[in-house]
Amino acid sequence: MVKKLLVIGFVWPEPQSSAAGSRMMQLIGFFQSQNYQITFASPCAKSDNAYNLESIGVSQVVIELNHSSFDGFVKDLNPNIVLFDRFMMEEQFGWRVAEQCPNALRILDTEDLHGLRKGRQQAFKDGKAFDKTYLFNDVAKREIASIYRSDLSLIISEVEMELLKNNFKVPDDLLVYLPFMLDANSPESIELLPKFHERQHFITIGNFMHEPNYNAVLFLKEAIWPLIKKQLPEAELHIYGAYVSQKVSQLHNKKEGFLIKGFADDVNEVMQNAKVCLAPIRFGAGLKGKLIDAMQNGTPCITTSIGAEGMFGPEVSGLDANGFIEDTPESFADRAVQLYQKEILWIEKQQNGFQVVNERFNSNHFQQKLASIIEETIQQLNKKRQNNFTGQMLMHHTLQSTKFMSKWIEAKNTNKIEN
């Protein structure tokens, strides 16, 4: 019997633009390795950066929000598993899936915890310490409800796993720790990478639709880069990222060596050309794709405590960073200069990055683990749902509220068209 997976995407995957896009392609690759026939559906408009999924045998379907046409579509498809890309898609379509395909396993890929990111951003804006007042925000309430309604939720960071268990009391059996799933850096591939003296300048990279990335570039512009430039007057900072807006473009200054380069056609190439990656993230959540790119391409990195979160393992027993973790502009800049100038130190930090990729994000390990958990959950799905009364309760109320709101919107839109 053919196994079917339906992915309901918040956006169409853009692996060259964002870590979320890379993460989705890793998940699609996993399910293909498990012989699933995959359909990717999204209500989002498709950009030029979207990956052509049909080129790898994945069907692409455009679906509508608040429209009953989805009911017939999902019932006809009759998937074994439905994967929701972020909690917003579970809110929109989860109740429809539950009604039309009650036996389908419902998996939520959180990407990162949106409530955590929102809370940290608000605390940063307020100039206050992040605490439960900021954590227990409206987005978090929606997100945790979505996790309870789902059969499994994929959590990208160990820090977020602990936060969900300790602060929100989410049962362990609803959560699956699944970080980025990466191929190992082989000695042969490492040998081919440009060496210390073959690289120059600094790099930072990130999708500018993501507020933490813009804020980090602003932090570099205003506080960190002038300190680096003073010590390294010939150095340049090359800033890459998709969706460069006017407020980003106006930061470009050739005289200061602060260069907005825009979208990178090949992230690996620009990362390999750079000597040091700068990632002064001041708020956010999840794992940072730019640090993964840096480690895979042998580019040591300076980041912050938020940037390093979940990357290197527990503080006591984790691995050494592929650079330095600094939270003040002065120490951040000094470490960046030190790493830029000292070859032995640079090589040491580069080797740390290769070790982190190979030991903490090994695709073989996590693919086997995920396959085992999915199979076990499918076998015990009814029992699992019976034991999750909170999820049943939230699904009941979602069916009463979201369902009728959606039907009201559909009726309203239909009436507009007829008039």
Side-chain angles (χ1 to χ4, degrees), residues 5 13 15 18-33 38 53 56 83 109 111 154 156 178-183 287 289 292-293 296 361-363 366-367 370:
L5 168 73
S18 70
S22 298
R23 161 76 158 191
M24 180 51 69
M25 295 307 297
Q26 290 167 17
L27 289 170
I28 287 172
F30 160 75
F31 280 105
Q32 286 187 319
S33 75
I38 304 175
L53 293 171
I56 58 170
L83 176 66
D109 182 35
E111 293 290 352
L154 309 180
I156 203 166
L178 191 75
F180 292 121
M181 297 180 285
L182 309 175
D183 293 331
L287 298 180
I292 294 291
D293 291 333
Q296 288 182 306
F361 303 108
N362 185 293
S363 61
F366 288 107
Q367 285 187 356
L370 181 57

Side-chain angles (χ1 to χ4, degrees), residues 342-360:
K342 297 184 177 181
E343 182 176 3
I344 293 175
L345 177 66
W346 187 89
I347 292 172
E348 175 195 323
K349 298 301 184 182
Q350 182 191 59
Q351 292 300 317
N352 290 349
F354 296 142
Q355 184 182 10
V356 170
V357 169
N358 291 354
E359 293 186 19
R360 282 190 52 76

Side-chain angles (χ1 to χ4, degrees), residues 85-131:
D85 171 27
R86 286 164 263 205
F87 79 91
M88 297 81 86
M89 291 298 94
E90 190 282 330
E91 280 185 334
Q92 283 285 342
F93 297 100
W95 64 270
R96 293 185 184 274
V97 171
E99 277 198 336
Q100 304 299 326
C101 304
N103 296 322
L105 178 68
R106 300 190 300 272
I107 302 177
L108 170 65
D109 182 35
T110 57
E111 293 290 352
D112 60 32
L113 288 184
H114 292 64
L116 175 61
R117 173 152 43 90
K118 178 182 172 63
R120 283 177 170 166
Q121 184 172 348
Q122 190 59 52
F124 174 80
K125 286 181 178 178
D126 293 346
K128 295 181 179 179
F130 176 74
D131 57 19

Side-chain angles (χ1 to χ4, degrees), residues 94-309:
W95 64 270
R96 293 185 184 274
V97 171
E99 277 198 336
Q100 304 299 326
C101 304
N103 296 322
L105 178 68
R106 300 190 300 272
I107 302 177
L108 170 65
D109 182 35
T110 57
E111 293 290 352
D112 60 32
L113 288 184
H114 292 64
L116 175 61
R117 173 152 43 90
K118 178 182 172 63
R120 283 177 170 166
Q121 184 172 348
Q122 190 59 52
F124 174 80
K125 286 181 178 178
D126 293 346
K128 295 181 179 179
F130 176 74
D131 57 19
K132 285 186 178 180
T133 307
Y134 288 102
L135 178 61
F136 294 167
N137 55 64
D138 288 347
V139 171
K141 290 167 188 171
R142 292 168 56 195
E143 191 166 31
I144 300 303
S146 182
I147 288 172
Y148 269 105
R149 287 191 299 264
S150 303
D151 299 310
L152 294 172
S153 289
L154 309 180
I155 310 301
I156 203 166
S157 163
E158 291 158 319
V159 173
E160 294 184 357
M161 284 285 287
E162 292 306 311
L163 186 145
L164 288 168
K165 293 177 192 177
N166 297 333
N167 292 77
F168 293 104
K169 310 304 179 187
V170 177
D172 191 47
D173 69 340
L174 293 181
L175 307 174
V176 181
Y177 169 56
L178 191 75
F180 292 121
M181 297 180 285
L182 309 175
D183 293 331
N185 286 105
S186 67
E188 294 77 18
S189 66
I190 290 171
E191 186 58 35
L192 293 173
L193 293 172
K195 307 299 185 285
F196 178 82
H197 291 292
E198 297 172 313
R199 299 171 180 241
Q200 61 178 344
H201 303 311
F202 294 85
I203 187 173
T204 191
I205 191 165
N207 183 334
F208 287 108
M209 288 181 73
H210 193 54
E211 186 61 27
N213 290 332
Y214 170 70
N215 182 270
V217 170
L218 206 58
F219 191 27
L220 283 165
K221 173 78 172 181
E222 295 173 348
I224 297 172
W225 183 244
L227 300 175
I228 296 174
K229 189 69 172 172
K230 188 175 181 180
Q231 298 182 65
L232 299 171
E234 300 303 315
E236 296 173 356
L237 174 58
H238 295 179
I239 299 146
Y240 291 92
Y243 304 106
V244 173
S245 63
Q246 180 61 38
K247 69 177 183 180
V248 176
S249 297
Q250 67 187 17
L251 300 176
H252 180 92
N253 190 309
K254 191 172 182 180
K255 184 180 177 182
E256 295 173 358
F258 198 87
L259 309 178
I260 306 295
K261 295 282 190 175
F263 181 76
D265 291 322
D266 188 337
V267 172
N268 296 322
E269 181 182 349
V270 297
M271 193 61 80
Q272 288 175 25
N273 288 335
K275 189 172 281 187
V276 176
C277 175
L278 305 180
I281 308 294
R282 289 191 282 187
F283 53 85
L287 298 180
K288 310 304 176 287
K290 56 182 67 61
L291 297 191
I292 294 291
D293 291 333
M295 288 189 284
Q296 288 182 306
N297 289 290
T299 310
C301 190
I302 317 290
T303 190
T304 57
S305 300
I306 291 290
E309 184 178 87

Side-chain angles (χ1 to χ4, degrees), residues 19-79:
S22 298
R23 161 76 158 191
M24 180 51 69
M25 295 307 297
Q26 290 167 17
L27 289 170
I28 287 172
F30 160 75
F31 280 105
Q32 286 187 319
S33 75
Q34 300 297 307
N35 299 314
Y36 277 83
Q37 186 182 92
I38 304 175
T39 300
F40 192 100
S42 177
C44 182
K46 195 179 294 185
S47 80
D48 293 338
N49 299 332
Y51 190 90
N52 180 13
L53 293 171
E54 290 182 349
S55 69
I56 58 170
V58 175
S59 300
Q60 300 181 142
V61 177
V62 175
I63 52 178
E64 288 186 67
L65 294 171
N66 302 306
H67 201 282
S68 56
S69 59
F70 178 84
D71 299 346
F73 158 71
V74 76
K75 189 171 185 177
D76 290 343
L77 183 64
N78 194 25

